[in-house]
Amino acid sequence: MPLTILGNRRRAHRKSRTGCKQCKERKVKCDENKPCCGYCSRNDWPCSFSFSLDSTIQPRTPPSSEGERALTESVQSPSSYEIESVASSPSHSTDLEWIDLELLHHYTTSTYSTIDDRPATLQTWKETVPKIALEHPFLMYGLLAVSALHLASIHPKRARALIAVATERQTRALPIYQAQVLAANEQNCHALFLFSKLLAIQMFAMRRLENPIRNNDITIGCGALNWLGLIRGGCSLLFSVWHHIAPGPLHALVTLKEGPVNKRGGLNDLQLTALLPLLTSPDLSPSMSEIYCTTLNQLRETFFAASIVDERASARDSACHWPAVVSQDYLHLLNREETPEALILLAHYCVLLKHLEDCWFMQGHAAWMIDLIQHRLDKGLRKWIEWPLQNIVQTQH
């Protein structure tokens, strides 16, 4: 009889009405620890305590302008966001959960200091950005997503669960961001500007953490070039409110260098101008040649800007100058199969990305891109990327 009573007591304790979804599905006792229960933590599984499971994404209207199309394509493409499912339909609720408290704390104590390499901007990222995020839920979700990915890069054992949380938070934010960026105004422009920066960081970081290179799938496409369309599309849509952003609370993040920005010269410039015979070839149409030469000049200006980095402009901001100003025509050529010149220009831009590898979310990105480009080019054309290969691949060893 005592054994029967004891057995009944044990069975009664095994059932938990408030346990996580994963433990219920596996019919095991959940200790209900938050933000991740013990069973999920030991098995390195995403725990439903770390994210919300109830809500819907509002349908999006078709894009109209070029900037809107570029932005929509870059964030909707099937890429790193389509990882292991963490929620059937993400929520637009602004309620913070236990994991969010950890992520917000991590952001304000660690992540903020890794986003920019200028001491003058640290206070802005640490204090001003979270304050703005409290007024704009989509920015808060973006901030939490980047914090989760930074934490994942520090704690590999938690990486799988943290990537899932980052993906879910960003999935909540994207529809709200896409709707608001089409109606950018004085009230939301600062949050939109910050979110575009954080979204680019997330895309770089997700690529690094997920390591999506596959021997049988070497392509330049949605995953590799999302960030280019993202930066370009976001900048074009925010142009109309730039006069509100520049003098506002984020002025430290958008301060431009004084002096000429079109100055060129030096060893790097010689390597870039060496591309002119290729870009002005009689085999190219005059319109294509004009697009390529304009893109090359923008790249030369970007290399010069990066060479005079000081306390007013970071190396990371300088490297982002080219994607922000490059034309939509060039991006279209980049995605076509028969335009190796566009890939060769991108390969030279990767030299700048290589200099940003001290940052956790940029590590390995330049080598990954140059490898993809090399596989896309015919052997006879690879001579045009010898300089980028020397600067990127050889310095890896």
Side-chain angles (χ1 to χ4, degrees):
M1 182 62 128
L3 291 176
T4 304
I5 294 174
L6 181 59
N8 289 338
R9 286 179 181 173
R10 285 179 177 171
R11 282 193 295 272
H13 279 284
R14 281 179 184 169
K15 190 171 183 179
S16 171
R17 296 184 182 276
T18 56
C20 76
K21 182 179 179 182
Q22 287 71 23
C23 288
K24 289 180 179 178
E25 289 177 349
R26 291 170 176 82
K27 298 182 179 179
V28 297
K29 181 180 178 181
C30 181
D31 61 15
E32 301 181 30
N33 284 336
K34 295 180 180 180
C36 183
C37 78
Y39 188 78
C40 290
S41 179
R42 287 193 300 274
N43 290 279
D44 193 23
W45 290 328
C47 180
S48 63
F49 286 151
S50 298
F51 42 80
S52 175
L53 294 171
D54 54 348
S55 53
T56 58
I57 292 182
Q58 298 299 322
R60 290 182 288 267
T61 55
S64 55
S65 67
E66 280 197 1
E68 182 183 346
R69 281 195 296 272
L71 183 65
T72 303
E73 290 169 2
S74 65
V75 297
Q76 288 183 337
S77 301
S79 60
S80 57
Y81 297 116
E82 297 183 356
I83 66 167
E84 182 173 5
S85 175
V86 296
S88 58
S89 36
S91 173
H92 288 177
S93 167
T94 58
D95 294 338
L96 292 181
E97 301 163 27
W98 283 105
I99 185 65
D100 295 321
L101 300 181
E102 178 189 7
L103 295 177
L104 185 58
H105 175 265
H106 181 72
Y107 173 87
T108 57
T109 57
S110 180
T111 304
Y112 82 92
S113 64
T114 70
I115 294 176
D116 203 326
D117 51 4
R118 289 173 292 172
T121 66
L122 290 181
Q123 203 72 3
T124 301
W125 283 108
K126 183 180 182 180
E127 296 185 2
T128 307
V129 173
K131 286 180 181 178
I132 296 175
L134 289 174
E135 299 176 0
H136 300 274
F138 72 91
L139 178 59
M140 179 61 77
Y141 292 140
L143 182 152
L144 295 173
V146 170
S147 180
L149 293 174
H150 183 226
L151 201 58
S153 71
I154 299 172
H155 300 289
K157 290 184 178 180
R158 297 182 61 193
R160 186 178 176 186
L162 287 167
I163 289 173
V165 171
T167 301
E168 196 274 341
R169 294 299 181 270
Q170 201 69 327
T171 305
R172 294 188 193 185
L174 285 173
I176 311 174
Y177 169 70
Q178 289 176 318
Q180 292 207 17
V181 78
L182 299 178
N185 54 48
E186 186 176 0
Q187 285 69 45
N188 65 8
C189 62
H190 301 100
L192 293 170
F193 171 73
L194 290 169
F195 186 85
S196 67
K197 280 180 168 287
L198 294 176
L199 186 54
I201 291 172
Q202 192 204 12
M203 297 183 77
F204 281 122
M206 194 73 81
R207 201 274 332 153
R208 173 182 172 244
L209 291 169
E210 290 187 321
N211 191 25
I213 299 177
R214 301 177 181 87
N215 292 332
N216 62 347
D217 187 23
I218 302 296
T219 60
I220 294 286
C222 57
L225 297 180
N226 271 352
W227 57 276
L228 275 175
L230 174 66
I231 295 174
R232 177 66 180 83
C235 287
S236 65
L237 290 169
L238 289 174
F239 182 77
S240 63
V241 290
W242 193 253
H243 60 288
H244 293 305
I245 298 175
L250 305 177
H251 64 89
L253 304 184
V254 297
T255 301
L256 301 177
K257 297 181 182 71
E258 297 176 0
V261 296
N262 59 348
K263 184 177 178 180
R264 301 157 194 159
L267 193 59
N268 290 338
D269 200 56
L270 292 175
Q271 297 291 346
L272 295 172
T273 54
L275 296 177
L276 282 171
L278 173 71
L279 306 181
T280 56
S281 168
D283 296 333
L284 297 174
S285 68
S287 60
M288 288 181 67
S289 185
E290 182 180 358
I291 293 170
Y292 288 141
C293 287
T294 299
T295 304
L296 176 64
N297 286 333
Q298 292 166 334
L299 190 56
R300 293 172 66 192
E301 292 173 2
T302 303
F303 267 86
F304 172 74
S307 71
I308 56 171
V309 166
D310 56 24
E311 69 278 1
R312 292 163 297 171
S314 72
R316 295 168 199 172
D317 284 340
S318 297
C320 285
H321 173 73
W322 184 68
V325 300
V326 75
S327 71
Q328 200 67 42
D329 290 332
Y330 169 74
L331 294 181
H332 290 323
L333 290 173
L334 193 57
N335 282 287
R336 287 169 54 181
E337 290 288 335
E338 68 281 6
T339 53
E341 298 83 4
L343 291 175
I344 290 168
L345 283 166
L346 180 62
H348 283 70
Y349 172 69
C350 288
V351 174
L352 283 176
L353 295 183
K354 176 64 182 176
H355 296 309
L356 305 183
E357 296 221 336
D358 60 324
C359 184
W360 64 275
F361 54 84
M362 292 300 302
Q363 291 171 5
H365 199 83
W368 178 58
M369 288 295 299
I370 200 72
D371 184 59
L372 294 174
I373 293 168
Q374 186 176 204
H375 279 81
R376 278 283 299 274
L377 290 175
D378 293 336
K379 290 184 178 179
L381 291 170
R382 292 178 186 175
K383 64 181 181 180
W384 293 101
I385 62 169
E386 288 180 357
W387 179 63
L389 282 170
Q390 291 172 357
N391 274 269
I392 297 169
V393 178
Q394 291 184 6
T395 54
Q396 291 287 109
H397 306 292

